[in-house]
Amino acid sequence: MAIQDIKVPDIGDYTDVPIIEIHVQAGDKIQVEDPLITVESDKASMDVPAPAAGTVKEVRVKLGDTVSEGSTILMLEAEAEQTPPPAAAPSSPPTAAPSTGQIADFSRVHASPSARRLARELEVDLPRVPPTGLKGRVTQEDIRSFAKGGAPAAASASTGAPTAGGGLDLLPWPKVDFSKFGPVETQPLSRIKKISGANLHRNWVQIPHVTNHDEADITDLEAFRVQFNKANEKAGIKVSMLAFMIKAAVASLKQFPEFNASLDGDNLILKQYYHIGFAADTPNGLVVPVIRDADQKGVAEIAQEMGALAKLARDGKLKPDQMQGGCFTISSLGGIGGLYFTPIINAPEVAIMGVCRSYWKQVSPDGKQSEWRFVLPLSLSWDHRVIDGAAAARFNVHFANLLADMRRIIM
């Protein structure tokens, strides 16, 4: 088998574009059109595909490197009788074919890398999807609609009219020269904030959010947590309150299965697994790693896995599959402060729990004598298309009761 020097193909006039993702490593077996790296220009990101199938012998680039046409990406031990296809045009970032095993001709399709990735996941023949985006771009919504056998949304870019799906007819965003009023500095958004911002905007606009606020008495649980951490200090085991919340979330989802669901058109997909996401703060923005099968893990194991995932998130090394498949998300601001907030639901989930910093509060259970208790503020946002107010209130109360006495979980 011949060793091939795999280089960056013609990517137009772009030079010295940074590598933001590397999809392969030495020893990987790849197929034609598998993505090798993703580069990001000042206008868009694009995948660079494999021109031949074979085994990766050596990767010659690393994250953050800048490349141009002709830059070496990797050394490939190609399979016999492989003939590299011509380089794809930069206006249509190439992508892998559907999982049917046939190579689809996506080279003439105008779509983003994320849309192409969605087409692969849904096994959609991208050239057959009617585009509704600007300049004939195939959008993710076009792909989803096509996969379900529905008609594409009506295009309205030129007229400004609402789309067929009841889109918003909004005024254009104001264009302001801020430098006229004083000194300014322009700072580009990080890639994570660009991606998460688009997702958050979609979720906020398309999901009818309602937020219930409550509080949990965690006086006894916090005392136990401190005692447990002290007893296991030499073993290097440290449990946060969030690990207990994940176990409480699992038990609550089992009690209220409509919260462990996703909406698919007129159907509700009820999940029989319990993968819990938690929002992790990184230098580049928030990401949501997922603890898989949290129902099958103890609090200490969850805490250790959370620590490992949080470190990967801070280092920018989380893999896509470590952020997928979540059923329910917990967003904790406990280390910062505040009382209550409205967390945005992480679609396609139908609810999210937000928690803030715990505080001491004087209460009077019997209306006569008062005592100080340590309480945790809870903010549960839920999708009103799936969940009603009474169910949300019951979920919050159940969740709070579990934290007040974790023995309820084993009953």
Side-chain angles (χ1 to χ4, degrees), residues 331-342:
S331 179
S332 174
L333 302 178
I336 302 172
L339 281 178
Y340 300 99
F341 68 109
T342 300

Side-chain angles (χ1 to χ4, degrees), residues 298-366:
V299 173
E301 184 180 358
I302 289 173
Q304 289 179 311
E305 188 173 339
M306 281 174 48
L309 288 172
K311 185 179 187 306
L312 288 173
R314 290 191 297 270
D315 295 341
K317 296 180 179 179
L318 270 179
K319 297 178 181 178
D321 63 347
Q322 293 173 311
M323 296 181 285
Q324 295 173 348
C327 304
F328 183 83
T329 298
I330 301 177
S331 179
S332 174
L333 302 178
I336 302 172
L339 281 178
Y340 300 99
F341 68 109
T342 300
I344 297 178
I345 297 167
N346 187 21
E349 298 166 20
V350 297
I352 181 173
M353 178 65 77
V355 297
C356 289
R357 179 182 290 174
S358 304
Y359 64 97
W360 287 97
K361 176 181 179 179
Q362 197 169 22
V363 299
S364 179
D366 58 3

Side-chain angles (χ1 to χ4, degrees), residues 61-97:
V61 294
K62 61 182 183 297
L63 283 178
D65 283 355
T66 57
V67 294
S68 305
E69 180 183 351
S71 299
T72 296
I73 301 172
L74 53 83
M75 306 303 294
L76 182 73
E77 185 177 54
E79 294 179 358
E81 301 180 359
Q82 285 289 336
T83 302
S91 61
S92 57
T95 185

Side-chain angles (χ1 to χ4, degrees), residues 17 23 39 70 114 166 177 187 210 225 233 256 263 287 367 372:
V17 289
H23 303 286
V39 296
S114 59
D177 180 5
Q187 185 178 79
V210 183
R225 187 187 72 85
E233 186 174 4
F256 301 92
L263 193 61
V287 296
W372 288 95

